[in-house]
Amino acid sequence: MEKTLPLFFEQSVAAFSENIFLWEKTGERFIGTTYREGCALVHRFAAGLISWGIRKGDRVALLSEGRNYWVIGELGILYAGGMNVPLSVKLNEPEELRFRLAHSGCRMVLVSGQQVSKIRAIKPSLPDLECVIVLDDIPLENPWEFSFRWVMDKGESFLASSLNLFEKTWRAVGPDDPANICYTSGTTADPKGIVLTHRNYITNIEQGYSLVDIHSNNRTLLILPWDHAFAHTAGIYCFIGMGASIGSVQAGRTALENLRNIPQNIRELRPTMLLSVPALAASFRKSIEKGIRERGKIVEWLFRLALKVSYRYNGNGYKKGTGGSFLLKPLIGIFDRIFYRKIRESFGGNLEYFVGGGALLEVEYQDFFYALGIPMFQGYGLTEASPIISANSMRSHKLGSSGRPVDRMELKIIDEQGGSLPAGKKGEILVKGDNVMKGYWKNEEATAAAIVDGWLHTGDLGYLDEDGFLYVLGRFKSLLIADDG
């Protein structure tokens, strides 16, 4: 039987049943849920959806901050044979949400208490939307609103009476069935719904393992939005596959309060790896430098010297400490004891590295975190590719690059006429493999333009160097227009 996400999860539960799957803080401390406990919750929720009439191919949306119920909700939808439509909590315009829900034809929405008012405002204009499942225990205001707990109770009854039907339902899900419809931002036109299958995800998870090592004793605090393609594959499923732990940021009363909880939660959960984007990198660096400045001008001068020496010793990381720079190693050890170790403690003390995605991270930030001993490795991806295309890692890295391409995927650079280019020559980045999306939902024209003979045209400009590292330089088409005026 070929893997689907439910089967993938079941295999991890069997192998790592007593490992902590999810960490969540709702009171004074983080509480862990094991893989075995998490699986029971997923089964109950999926059974509740099946008993309610969710069938193979039905679309169910998910609009929430990261939490246990986010991943339990998504897996429940997938076990029922449905397709999850993950929505960004940053969508504030009613029309943005309404378009996605109407275009995908969602029958239900799972929504957090912070986000439910957005759905209440547009529900009357969505005839296909039958009901709303509220994840938090808050007063329900409409006859079409139901609590998550109520669905779980329905599921418990269904499992007691119809366990065989439940098993038959989730095992009937196939690798080429759609799992998600992920919508693009739609800044210049209506957003496009990227259809990713179970095969797309399973392939990309395994491709991710070809670059980055994750172990069963690892844990992450997932500080990016969970609907973000990068966080979704690299932060949720890549960790599930290795029996590792996923923590969520403590929910505040507002989005700003959620952000303010991140530094404290990092210190409490002590993650071994974090996913980041440039905005977070800038925020972390600003906070570190502020702490140094507050210790006085001499300390600040010494810290700048430490960075300068570290940058010289590290180079671009590929041949760190080679040539004459090896003589600087004793100094690096001194600076580590004075500065770097204490800074790492502010990230919990266990953090080994970050993986950066979402947008290109400036080299100066990569140099900075590399010097501290918690490298921020740049990766590159596209939601249409599930999304991981390349990444730097502890195994092999060059600061300034987007790393080496994943295994089991073809990548080439082409010129304006479609001809393949050799190493060092800039052109459009194309990729081909089982991680490439099925297509755009209800948009055959856009699908045909994006995927030609199996090759996904990323629209990004880049080149491969002589060592096989990918450099991404920006948008291919806009740069071509700029070149000819």
Side-chain angles (χ1 to χ4, degrees):
M1 181 179 177
E2 287 192 87
K3 280 187 191 176
T4 60
L5 288 171
L7 181 59
F8 172 79
F9 180 60
E10 292 283 332
Q11 289 174 342
S12 285
V13 172
F16 309 106
S17 62
E18 298 310 312
N19 283 19
I20 297 297
F21 169 31
L22 299 167
W23 290 101
E24 187 172 69
K25 184 182 179 185
T26 53
E28 293 301 311
R29 62 190 180 92
F30 277 93
I31 303 294
T33 298
T34 66
Y35 275 82
R36 177 179 51 79
E37 293 165 339
C39 186
L41 293 171
V42 169
H43 284 191
R44 281 176 61 195
F45 184 65
L49 293 180
I50 294 165
S51 70
W52 211 347
I54 289 295
R55 296 292 178 261
K56 193 169 186 176
D58 285 346
R59 278 79 66 202
V60 180
L62 180 46
L63 176 64
S64 172
E65 304 74 23
R67 58 178 63 201
N68 287 7
Y69 283 171
W70 200 104
V71 67
I72 288 162
E74 167 160 280
L75 284 167
I77 293 164
L78 301 180
Y79 270 73
M83 299 157 62
N84 181 27
V85 182
L87 299 171
S88 171
V89 294
K90 295 179 181 178
L91 293 170
N92 292 315
E93 291 298 323
E95 183 53 31
E96 290 183 316
L97 275 175
R98 197 205 67 78
F99 175 85
R100 288 161 173 78
L101 292 168
H103 186 257
S104 59
C106 282
R107 288 185 60 192
M108 297 179 180
V109 179
L110 276 63
V111 64
S112 69
Q114 275 191 32
Q115 304 296 321
V116 70
S117 60
K118 297 177 182 179
I119 301 298
R120 286 170 177 163
I122 60 176
K123 169 70 173 67
S125 64
L126 292 163
D128 291 334
L129 188 62
E130 298 167 15
C131 59
V132 173
I133 300 168
V134 183
L135 302 179
D136 294 296
D137 291 325
I138 61 170
L140 304 178
E141 297 182 2
N142 298 284
W144 36 264
E145 291 178 15
F146 301 87
S147 73
F148 191 83
R149 291 181 187 276
W150 183 83
V151 183
M152 296 289 272
D153 289 343
K154 277 179 69 73
E156 194 166 4
S157 300
F158 185 81
L159 289 172
S161 62
S162 309
L163 184 58
N164 287 343
L165 178 56
F166 170 75
E167 288 281 330
K168 186 179 177 183
T169 299
W170 78 257
R171 289 184 182 278
V173 177
D176 293 314
D177 290 333
N180 277 184
I181 303 176
C182 305
Y183 279 88
T184 60
S185 61
T187 49
T188 55
D190 282 340
K192 297 191 285 286
I194 298 159
V195 180
L196 297 175
T197 66
H198 290 262
R199 187 187 302 279
N200 290 152
Y201 278 115
I202 297 298
T203 299
N204 202 228
I205 293 160
E206 292 172 351
Q207 289 170 331
Y209 294 151
S210 73
L211 297 177
V212 178
D213 292 316
I214 297 173
H215 305 287
S216 61
N217 62 349
N218 288 168
R219 64 172 72 175
T220 189
L221 180 72
L222 201 49
I223 55 184
L224 302 183
W226 289 29
D227 64 283
H228 192 292
F230 173 45
H232 194 226
T233 299
I236 297 177
Y237 287 111
C238 283
F239 270 67
I240 286 176
M242 292 299 175
S245 302
I246 305 155
S248 53
V249 175
Q250 183 181 9
R253 285 164 295 184
T254 64
L256 186 59
E257 198 173 317
N258 295 347
L259 282 173
R260 286 176 178 158
N261 286 335
I262 290 174
Q264 177 65 22
N265 288 173
I266 289 174
R267 287 190 291 273
E268 292 168 328
L269 196 62
R270 305 181 72 209
T272 54
M273 187 264 266
L274 288 171
L275 303 183
S276 183
V277 291
L280 278 169
S283 176
F284 288 144
R285 179 176 175 176
K286 186 177 178 183
S287 177
I288 291 165
E289 291 179 329
K290 179 175 180 284
I292 294 291
R293 280 196 305 274
E294 288 170 352
R295 292 169 63 185
K297 289 198 176 295
I298 293 174
V299 172
E300 186 179 5
W301 174 83
L302 193 58
F303 182 67
R304 296 291 167 208
L305 176 64
L307 289 178
K308 193 177 293 185
V309 171
S310 299
Y311 294 166
R312 173 76 188 278
Y313 176 76
N314 293 333
N316 66 5
Y318 190 55
K319 294 181 178 178
K320 173 183 174 180
T322 58
S325 67
F326 82 94
L327 296 169
L328 300 172
K329 191 169 185 179
L331 267 179
I332 300 295
I334 293 168
F335 290 136
D336 191 74
R337 286 192 295 275
I338 297 172
F339 294 115
Y340 303 156
R341 196 176 298 171
K342 292 173 184 174
I343 292 169
R344 293 197 297 273
E345 282 297 324
S346 71
F347 287 93
N350 287 337
L351 187 62
E352 296 169 8
Y353 60 94
F354 297 85
V355 177
L360 294 177
L361 180 67
E362 291 178 29
V363 179
E364 65 171 289
Y365 285 97
Q366 296 178 43
D367 288 336
F368 180 80
F369 287 97
Y370 197 81
L372 302 181
I374 40 175
M376 194 168 282
F377 292 128
Q378 176 71 43
Y380 167 65
L382 216 61
T383 305
E384 287 89 339
S386 302
I388 308 166
I389 290 173
S390 68
N392 286 284
S393 69
M394 295 293 276
R395 292 186 216 164
S396 181
H397 50 266
K398 269 190 188 180
L399 305 184
S401 81
S402 289
R404 286 195 168 115
V406 296
D407 287 353
R408 294 171 50 202
M409 182 195 75
E410 296 177 70
L411 183 147
K412 66 180 179 180
I413 310 294
I414 64 165
D415 59 23
E416 294 170 64
Q417 289 73 44
S420 294
L421 293 169
K425 294 291 185 181
K426 303 169 188 175
E428 187 183 6
I429 303 165
L430 272 63
V431 297
K432 186 178 188 179
D434 282 344
N435 58 312
V436 171
M437 67 171 179
K438 189 169 188 174
Y440 294 113
W441 183 255
K442 296 181 181 176
N443 197 336
E444 292 179 9
E445 186 180 345
T447 301
I451 304 173
V452 181
D453 297 327
W455 288 95
L456 172 66
H457 287 249
T458 68
D460 289 322
L461 179 74
Y463 68 92
L464 286 164
D465 74 5
E466 65 282 357
D467 296 312
F469 286 85
L470 179 66
Y471 287 77
V472 183
L473 306 172
R475 294 300 289 170
F476 178 64
K477 290 169 186 173
S478 61
L479 281 171
L480 287 179
I481 292 165
D483 286 346
D484 63 16

